[in-house]
Amino acid sequence: MISDAKLAALATLLQSSELTGLIITLLAYTLAVALFKRSGANPIVNPVIVSVIIIISVLLVTGISYEQYFVGGKLVHFLLGPAVVALAIPLYQQIHRIKSLLLPITITLMCSIFIGAFSAIYLVQWLGGSELTQLSIAPKSTTTPVAMGIADNLGGIVSLAAGLAAMTGVIGAIFGTKVFSLVGVKDDSVKGVAMGLTSHGIGTARAFQVSPTMGAFSGLAMALTACVTAILLPLILAFFNFI
Amino acid sequence: MKFILGFAMLLAYQLLGEVLVILFELPVSGPVIGLLLLLATLIIRGRVGESLTTSSTHLLSHLSLMFIPAGVGLMTHYQLLTSEWLAISVALVVGTLLMLASCALIMQFLLKRFQAEAFDDQ
C-alpha cells in the first residue's frame, strides 16, 4: 500500500531530481536529432529549437518549473564550457588558412559588432520594445555564456539574453546558407566567418554540417566575436549613451 | 581512456581561463580564454594529440545539445515575450539576416582586395 506521504515524496523526487531534467533534455535531443535526420537535414527542423519546444511543452504539461528542470539541465549546460575550449582544435587544424585571412576577418568583425548590436537595438526601440529588452538583445551574436555575461554587464536580463542568443544562433543556422546564396557568396571560408560572427556556436554546429572549412572559420569568428564583443560592446554603448 | 584524458585537458584549460578571468578582471568568459590558451599551446607544440582530437570531436558533434537548457530558459520570460513579441521577433530575424548578408559581403569584398594586393606584391 502506498501512503499519501510516500506519493508526495515521490512527486517531489520526480519533479526536482537532477535525473528528471537530465533525462528530459537527452530524450528531447535524441528525438529532435532523429526528426532532423528524417527531414533530410532540413535546417528548419533545427535540433536546438525542436528540443526547446519539446522540453517547454513537457514542463508545462507536468507542472515542473524551469528552476526544477535546470537542476538536471545544468549538467548539460556545464558541458558548454569544455566544448567552447574544444573549438581550439578545429581552429588549429585550419590555422594555415586562417593566418592569411586574419586582417580581413578582424575588419569584418569590427563592422559586425556595430551592425549586430545597433540593428537589434534600433529595431526593438522602433517597434516599442522596452529598454530592458534592448540591453538583453544587444549581445545576441555572441555565444550564449558570453551573451549572459555581457547582458549582466549592461543591465539587461541574463536568462532572456541567453534565450535570445540561442534564437539568433538558430535563425542563422536555418537561413544562413540561403542568405549566402542569395547575396552570391560561394567561398566556404567567407560563409563560415559570416556564420560565426552572426550565429556563434549554433551557427558553427550548422557550419560543420556543410564543410569542415566552413566550421573551422565559423568557430574562429565565434571565438573572436566572443572576446572582442565582451570588451567593446559595453564601451560602444556607453559612448553612444545607451547605458 | 583517450576521451577521458582529452576531456580532463579541456576542463583544465577552462579552469585556467577562469582563474585568469578572476585574476585580471577580464570581461571575457573563462572558456573563451581557455580556447585561446589551448590554441596558443597547440601552435607552440605544433600538433594535436590523439586524446584531444577524440574528445573535441565527440563534444563538438553534440554542440547543439549544450545550448538547450539555456534556450528552455526563455519560458521564464513568458510575460515579456508575449507583450513584446513583435519587436523581439522582428529584431531577431531582420537583424540576424541583415548581419549574415552584410558580414558575408564585407568579408568577400575584403578577401578580394587583400588577395589582389598580395598578388600585386609578388
Side-chain angles (χ1 to χ4, degrees), chain A residues 101 104-105 108 190 193, chain B residues 102-111:
Chain A
L101 299 176
I105 291 177
T108 314
V190 174
V193 169
Chain B
S102 52
C103 285
L105 289 174
I106 294 169
M107 183 68 192
Q108 192 178 45
F109 170 77
L110 291 171
L111 206 59

Side-chain angles (χ1 to χ4, degrees), chain A residues 137-180:
Chain A
I137 207 170
K140 72 178 171 46
S141 283
T142 57
T143 185
T144 311
V146 179
M148 293 161 88
I150 298 176
D152 194 27
N153 244 339
L154 299 177
I157 307 169
V158 174
S159 58
L160 181 63
L164 294 179
M167 285 298 299
T168 303
V170 170
I171 294 167
I174 293 174
F175 298 110
T177 48
K178 282 197 192 74
V179 170
F180 298 145

Side-chain angles (χ1 to χ4, degrees), chain A residues 3-63:
Chain A
S3 68
D4 284 353
K6 265 187 194 165
L7 271 179
L10 210 57
T12 315
L13 170 76
L14 290 178
Q15 281 185 344
S16 55
S17 159
E18 60 254 324
L19 295 173
T20 308
L22 195 54
I23 293 168
I24 294 174
T25 309
L26 296 179
L27 285 183
Y29 177 67
T30 312
L31 184 61
V33 170
L35 285 173
F36 177 68
K37 283 185 179 153
R38 252 288 177 58
S39 74
N42 186 337
I44 293 176
V45 195
N46 183 281
V48 178
I49 204 79
V50 173
S51 306
V52 167
I53 292 169
I54 295 172
I55 294 170
I56 291 182
S57 314
V58 170
L59 298 187
L60 291 178
V61 169
T62 54

